Amino acid sequence: MPEPSSLAAEIVAVRWRTDDGGFAVMVAKAGDGDEHVLTGPIAHLHEGDSVEVEGQWREHPKFGRQLHVQQVRVGAPASGDAVLALLESVKHVGPRGAEFLLDRHGDQVLEIVDRDPGARLREVPGIGKAKLAAAVASWQRQAGGRALRMLLAEHDVPAAVAARVQKALGGGALQLLQQDPYALMKVDGIAFATADVVARAMGTPADAPERIHAALHHVLRASEQDGHCFLPRSELVPRAARLLELPMEVVASHIEDAELVLDGSERVLEPRMNQTEHRLAERVMELAAAPPTLDVDVPADPPSEGEHPPTPAQWAAVHAAAEHRLSILTGLPGTGKTATMRALVDLLRDQRRTVRLCAPTGKAAKRLSEATGAEATTIHRLLEWVPGEGFARDADDPLTGVDLLVVDEASMLDVRLAGALVEAVGPRTHVLLVGDVDQLAPVGPGRVLEDLIASGLVPSTKLVEVFRQAARSLIIRAAHAIDRGEAPPTQAGPDDIRDFFYIERPSAEHVFAEIISLATRRLPKHYGLDPVQDLQVLVPMHRGPAGIDAFNETLRAELNPDGAAVKGTPFRLGDRIMQTRNNHERNFYNGEIGVVVANDPARGTLTIVGDDTRRITLDLNETNTLRLAYACSVHKMQGSQAPAIVIALARGHAPMLTRNLVYTAVTRAQATCVVVAERGALSTALSRVDASRRNTRLVELVS
């Protein structure tokens, strides 16, 4: 990777910037008079800005040498031309007005106009009473933005973050930060540490109440990433005290006045999370107590005709879905959850009832549609997500014309998504949640499906019988063995499908080499697979000799060595990538995978073909949430599947090694699964159930 370079220059031209104020291409003149092209998340800069930038030089095949900017420090305009450029950009001032102001006020023109923009701009020829208000507003926006850029740059806020701050907080950003520097934490991607640097530089004392309150809120929000809906006071105070470098007794004294919710003497919640949990519980209880509205005739006994008629247990789940407004279907792989959903859908269709199916991820929805023959969609699309506003479907505008809503992969539902879903359930809609609680817990806070089953309030059917055809698959048998904490079978009988393989190697380095060989040559050749499209390597951790990062670097070098670089990003055409955060505007969600197929340097865009065959075009400034995905974590693959799965297990992965993780990884495979493990790693995983404690209240709230 090239070494970072720095450059002191003045912005002299803006060649192009995205509409959302992120990515831009600009021309800057250095002190020696040479002009250079700057690219990156710098659309918050303007002509006339004096900047010190840090970044990496890159050679564009069409546009030549460019500096891709990662850090910007903004100073006062350094030349008369720069000042003129800034003045000209003010509404109604123009070139003549700019020269007038500079001639009258000289080098101090910006400071002088800042002190009284109304009086000074009124003096400009051509600006009368009718134009003065617009000119003053334009000046104030520009001045506020200029001061904000200088403030953020002074504290080494990265260029991409500075662009987001200015976009999110707008023209009044500086005043807002001066009143409450911790308002920066409202900006996506800015956490307490960054806001705290700015706040302390602006004179906020170390023990200021607003600083302590911000830290308490930050710790609670950060704990949601570990699945918690609340923290005990005994955990919250030490975490916040370490973050603040203050005594615990000082932090503890501020909990009562930090606008937090205290549930009893120990539990502390953010107000929004408290409301989310309570409302979810209320809606669950309402649905559980409501009489059935699905007017459908379900025979007492399951039909006997057909290739695979439903079993009595499966038919009991069909009855439960018809007789209760909310019910649950669960079971391990091969026990017929999908067949049960298909039988239910067929029954309702035959009686002219409307069924909608959904799942948390696009790939899970596509698989559900193929399995049941009915249209399925993501939950976000079902609830009509509106970027910047939220779900259009809610309690005030619920789903209508839906007799039954089936939600697959419900083990992935966190409390927020589950809450939004049940809020949007119409007054005559039945809901069936389908999932496997032995998989990994949701990425977000809560464990909704597990808690609802544990509560006993919601009728639940657990399928346990493994069907004969499924039992032939070593993948299915391996999954069941792992779920019991037993070593997976590797010997196949004459009628078995040998689709699962276990390979043991003496070290992490040997595991790495074996998987590279399997993923790039042996498996694609043997099974006729596209190694980029059809094969996924799953790894528990990012770091280490057998970590996700190492695998991605080597797999990309092997599988896409000649892909053309996409300037302004770390990607190449042909790369397998994954979205790591929800991008609601593009309907491209966390965990979705695609392949980079095109880019347009002039427009600053990159095009991906998703695993659901959609073409998705992103602005370059939106690509910072993309990661290489030749290898990825098991958590990120939850809810998705691939024809071939290769799993790496090393002793260095010990913090993540649990039977739930290995079980989830194995069940991602559609046709072939290979586990390559360092000696002792699998036995470590099998001996540990996922014991990560999640602080939730749903069970008691619905009891």
Side-chain angles (χ1 to χ4, degrees):
M1 182 177 290
E3 289 295 319
S5 299
S6 59
L7 177 71
E10 177 185 302
I11 304 296
V12 295
V14 178
R15 286 187 177 173
W16 184 83
R17 58 160 52 100
T18 56
D19 293 337
D20 66 359
F23 185 85
V25 180
M26 299 186 177
V27 179
K29 182 181 289 187
D32 58 7
D34 289 344
E35 292 190 350
H36 303 278
V37 176
L38 309 182
T39 66
I42 54 174
H44 59 296
L45 301 180
H46 299 283
E47 291 181 17
D49 280 344
S50 177
V51 297
E52 294 180 15
V53 297
E54 292 183 6
Q56 295 177 345
W57 288 106
R58 298 175 178 176
E59 192 68 32
H60 192 283
K62 181 177 180 181
F63 301 108
R65 194 167 185 249
Q66 301 175 338
L67 182 64
H68 183 72
V69 176
Q70 296 159 329
Q71 194 81 32
V72 180
R73 295 180 67 85
V74 185
S79 68
D81 288 341
V83 174
L84 281 172
L86 284 173
L87 294 172
E88 287 177 16
S89 67
V90 177
K91 192 174 182 66
H92 300 313
V93 171
R96 291 180 59 190
E99 290 181 3
F100 170 86
L101 288 169
L102 186 59
D103 288 343
R104 170 164 289 198
H105 302 295
D107 294 343
Q108 303 300 309
V109 60
L110 299 179
E111 292 84 349
I112 291 171
V113 179
D114 275 342
R115 285 197 290 268
D116 192 350
R120 300 291 75 80
L121 293 175
R122 180 67 181 84
E123 298 169 352
V124 175
I127 296 183
K129 290 183 179 180
K131 297 180 179 179
L132 183 60
V136 170
S138 175
W139 178 272
Q140 290 173 336
R141 282 194 301 272
Q142 186 202 78
R146 186 169 68 248
L148 175 66
R149 295 195 304 275
M150 293 178 69
L151 173 68
L152 296 176
E154 181 181 341
H155 300 295
D156 296 322
V157 177
V161 175
R164 291 201 298 273
V165 170
Q166 187 150 1
K167 178 188 176 186
L169 298 185
L174 184 64
Q175 291 79 7
L176 179 60
L177 291 183
Q178 288 171 335
Q179 295 169 7
D180 178 14
Y182 295 98
L184 270 176
M185 293 168 61
K186 299 175 183 177
V187 180
D188 188 30
I190 298 181
F192 174 81
T194 299
D196 197 42
V197 168
V198 176
R200 295 301 304 281
M202 295 174 68
T204 303
D207 60 352
E210 61 268 27
R211 181 171 184 255
I212 297 172
H213 297 171
L216 289 167
H217 281 267
H218 168 78
V219 170
L220 284 170
R221 283 196 293 269
S223 75
E224 293 177 11
Q225 298 173 13
D226 297 323
H228 299 309
C229 297
F230 69 86
L231 281 180
R233 187 188 296 251
S234 58
E235 290 185 36
L236 173 61
V237 171
R239 290 191 194 185
R242 286 194 297 271
L243 182 66
L244 293 162
E245 297 183 340
L246 288 174
M248 285 196 292
E249 56 270 20
V250 173
V251 176
S253 67
H254 284 270
I255 287 183
E256 276 71 15
D257 57 359
E259 297 183 355
L260 298 171
V261 175
L262 306 179
D263 180 5
S265 61
E266 265 293 289
R267 297 172 175 176
V268 187
L269 300 92
E270 277 235 304
R272 285 176 297 179
M273 178 55 69
N274 178 64
Q275 183 180 14
T276 296
E277 268 198 308
H278 270 285
R279 186 57 189 149
L280 171 59
E282 290 168 5
R283 284 294 292 142
V284 165
M285 289 188 291
E286 289 169 5
L287 288 170
T293 57
L294 189 59
D295 184 16
V296 63
D297 179 25
V298 184
D301 298 320
S304 57
E305 67 277 0
E307 185 177 357
H308 300 291
T311 66
Q314 291 175 327
W315 202 243
V318 172
H319 272 280
E323 295 166 2
H324 300 275
R325 290 287 305 281
L326 179 63
S327 61
I328 293 172
L329 172 63
T330 185
L332 299 185
T335 56
K337 294 191 300 295
T338 300
T340 305
M341 286 189 283
R342 187 164 55 240
L344 178 60
V345 168
D346 290 344
L347 176 73
L348 267 65
R349 276 179 160 180
D350 289 345
Q351 299 189 36
R352 300 184 182 278
R353 297 295 179 267
T354 303
V355 183
R356 296 288 298 273
L357 299 99
C358 64
T361 67
K363 198 159 187 176
K366 182 181 179 183
R367 193 172 70 249
L368 179 62
S369 180
E370 292 169 349
T372 61
E375 182 183 356
T377 184
T378 64
I379 295 173
H380 281 81
R381 289 184 186 176
L382 175 76
L383 302 185
E384 300 175 19
W385 174 268
V386 179
E389 297 180 21
F391 292 111
R393 295 291 188 176
D394 55 20
D396 296 325
D397 187 14
L399 297 166
T400 56
V402 182
D403 295 310
L404 175 69
L405 176 64
V406 179
V407 186
D408 198 15
E409 297 287 356
S411 63
M412 298 179 65
L413 293 175
D414 64 25
V415 291
R416 289 197 181 90
L417 190 55
L421 186 66
V422 296
E423 282 282 3
V425 171
R428 298 191 58 80
T429 300
H430 284 222
V431 180
L432 173 63
L433 303 177
V434 183
D436 180 354
V437 293
D438 290 330
Q439 290 190 25
L440 290 169
V443 173
R447 50 182 186 198
V448 174
L449 186 66
E450 186 177 351
D451 282 351
L452 290 180
I453 293 173
S455 74
L457 178 70
V458 181
S460 301
T461 303
K462 183 174 183 179
L463 303 177
V464 295
E465 179 186 350
V466 180
F467 284 84
R468 183 179 302 173
Q469 179 66 22
R472 293 177 57 213
S473 165
L474 289 189
I475 290 176
I476 297 296
R477 281 154 59 184
H480 283 251
I482 291 166
D483 188 62
R484 295 190 300 268
E486 301 171 1
T490 56
Q491 298 300 316
D495 295 327
D496 289 339
I497 302 170
R498 194 158 190 256
D499 50 10
F500 176 85
F501 305 87
Y502 175 73
I503 300 171
E504 194 166 87
R505 290 293 177 259
S507 68
E509 290 75 14
H510 284 87
V511 168
F512 184 86
E514 183 74 16
I515 288 179
I516 296 298
S517 173
L518 284 165
T520 60
R521 294 182 293 278
R522 290 149 57 193
L523 289 176
K525 181 179 179 180
H526 185 77
Y527 290 101
L529 300 171
D530 181 328
V532 176
Q533 299 268 18
D534 301 329
L535 188 147
Q536 183 65 57
V537 175
L538 297 181
V539 188
M541 297 176 66
H542 280 269
R543 306 298 180 192
I548 294 170
D549 297 339
F551 273 115
N552 271 324
E553 183 178 349
T554 301
L555 288 169
R556 203 245 299 258
E558 292 274 346
L559 297 174
N560 190 26
D562 301 320
V566 178
K567 301 301 180 181
T569 79
F571 306 115
R572 303 174 184 170
L573 295 182
D575 271 343
R576 180 179 175 88
I577 56 87
M578 175 180 282
Q579 175 73 309
T580 61
R581 299 185 69 176
N582 288 336
N583 183 333
H584 298 291
E585 293 185 17
R586 311 294 186 188
N587 289 322
F588 194 33
Y589 297 108
N590 186 5
E592 291 195 60
I593 292 173
V595 176
V596 179
V597 297
N599 77 299
D600 186 334
R603 293 181 177 272
T605 60
L606 172 149
T607 301
I608 296 159
V609 172
D611 52 18
D612 58 358
T613 72
R614 287 186 303 133
R615 290 180 71 89
I616 304 159
T617 298
L618 304 174
D619 292 332
L620 292 185
N621 67 296
E622 295 177 295
T623 62
N624 62 339
T625 59
L626 302 180
R627 299 290 183 270
L628 288 177
Y630 299 95
C632 71
S633 70
V634 181
H635 286 82
K636 287 296 185 185
M637 196 63 180
Q638 196 172 358
S640 298
Q641 286 188 310
I645 292 290
V646 183
I647 303 166
L649 300 178
R651 285 183 293 182
H653 300 151
M656 298 294 294
L657 292 180
T658 65
R659 70 174 68 163
N660 305 72
L661 181 133
V662 180
Y663 169 81
T664 303
V666 168
T667 56
R668 300 309 91 204
Q670 293 172 307
T672 304
C673 180
V674 183
V675 175
V676 184
E678 184 179 1
R679 192 170 296 126
L682 180 60
S683 59
T684 297
L686 295 176
S687 68
R688 298 164 59 195
V689 179
D690 185 2
S692 56
R693 175 179 52 85
R694 289 194 167 208
N695 298 323
T696 73
R697 303 179 299 165
L698 189 56
V699 172
E700 62 189 73
L701 289 176
V702 301
S703 299

